[in-house]
Amino acid sequence: MKPSDFVKYLQRMIALTDTGLTFTKDPFDRERYEDLRSLLSEMLNQGLDIDSEEVAEVLKPTSAYATPLMDVRAWIVEDEKICLVRGQGENDWALPGGFGEVGYSPTENILKELKKKPVLKLK
């Protein structure tokens, strides 16, 4: 495994633990997420050539969904028709997509978003 892949996987796992810690209401899940975060911190400290301040910056907790704050959207046209979708609980139409996730490229993010949203064909 390349070092860059290792860092990417660690960043993704940290983002998942941050999201879990932000939204869990279960004390047992919180304990598990905190334990996992501690293990990831140790892996960063031992497995990479970065100082403790850099590790602390990478592990700084968030208070929201762990995302790179990047919105990805697909422009889909078929038979001169544009694909639009409605988000859950929303009345407005938008291009299919959503927030990007840590560890994925913009292309990987949009493909992931398209897989989880059913696209309806309009006649």
Side-chain angles (χ1 to χ4, degrees):
M1 177 186 311
K2 297 184 294 190
S4 61
D5 288 339
F6 182 72
V7 171
K8 181 175 141 181
Y9 297 144
L10 284 175
Q11 287 175 321
R12 180 87 182 111
M13 288 186 281
I14 291 165
L16 291 169
T17 60
D18 283 347
T19 300
L21 285 167
T22 298
F23 292 104
T24 189
K25 300 202 180 347
D26 185 292
F28 298 107
D29 283 343
R30 176 165 303 285
E31 184 179 341
R32 288 182 196 100
Y33 285 124
E34 288 170 349
D35 191 31
L36 182 56
R37 210 159 197 299
S38 175
L39 291 169
L40 291 169
S41 176
E42 287 179 38
M43 288 173 70
L44 277 171
N45 279 319
Q46 292 178 13
L48 301 175
D49 189 23
I50 57 177
D51 65 37
S52 59
E53 287 179 17
E54 289 175 295
V55 170
E57 184 62 30
V58 169
L59 290 172
K60 188 178 354 177
T62 64
S63 61
Y65 191 85
T67 175
L69 301 177
M70 168 185 72
D71 190 63
V72 292
R73 298 287 165 180
W75 178 261
I76 302 171
V77 179
E78 186 177 309
D79 297 326
E80 297 184 13
K81 295 178 185 167
I82 300 171
C83 177
L84 297 174
V85 296
R86 284 188 178 151
Q88 285 184 328
E90 295 179 5
N91 292 322
D92 296 331
W93 291 95
L95 295 171
F99 278 113
E101 301 223 12
V102 173
Y104 294 103
S105 71
T107 300
E108 291 168 325
N109 269 296
I110 194 61
L111 291 173
K112 187 174 70 58
E113 287 293 326
L114 290 173
K115 282 181 186 174
K116 70 181 184 182
K117 290 187 170 81
V119 177
L120 302 175
K121 288 206 173 229
L122 301 177
K123 297 187 181 205

